[in-house]
Amino acid sequence: QVQLVESGGGLVQPGGSLRLSCAGSGFTFKVYSMTWYRQAPQKERELVAGIASAGGSTNYADSVKGRFTISRDDAKKTVWLQMNSLKPEDTAVYYCNAKWRSGFDYWGKGTLVTVSA
């Protein structure tokens, strides 16, 4: 049974930091590209950061470059999103995605991040 379980969300003040985790199971984690997406209220889901398989290349949305860092540990089957200098506009539900090829595309249920004073 494939599972992606996000954790680490919560309430944080502007300028603060959070570290999100996504633990995968039930699939060959190391061959999958891992991506964090987010969806704010009344907005479409958007890509935040991605990391290729085998610890390869990373990519970031312009809005988070220099503030967020994505990383992975294939032995632990976990991907992280370190979020620094958080802004109110970062408030969203953050989702973890694992993708290998067509038909092998999995999503977690999300974790809520709220940035507010």
Side-chain angles (χ1 to χ4, degrees), residues 30-90:
K30 64 181 181 180
V31 304
Y32 281 70
S33 296
M34 301 300 297
T35 306
W36 285 97
Y37 290 79
R38 68 186 180 187
Q39 187 166 17
Q42 301 179 339
K43 291 190 176 180
E44 293 186 354
R45 190 172 296 189
E46 63 175 355
L47 184 148
V48 177
I51 185 166
S53 60
S57 61
T58 58
N59 62 290
Y60 296 91
D62 287 343
S63 59
V64 307
K65 281 181 181 176
R67 300 188 298 123
F68 291 10
T69 303
I70 188 170
S71 60
R72 66 188 293 164
D73 185 327
D74 291 339
K76 295 181 178 179
K77 298 184 180 181
T78 300
V79 61
W80 296 275
L81 185 67
Q82 177 67 43
M83 306 187 296
N84 299 327
S85 303
L86 283 161
K87 305 175 181 180
E89 51 264 43
D90 294 317

Side-chain angles (χ1 to χ4, degrees), residues 100-116:
W100 180 32
R101 56 186 184 186
S102 179
F104 296 87
D105 190 352
Y106 310 122
W107 290 89
K109 294 183 178 180
T111 185
L112 177 63
V113 172
T114 303
V115 185
S116 175

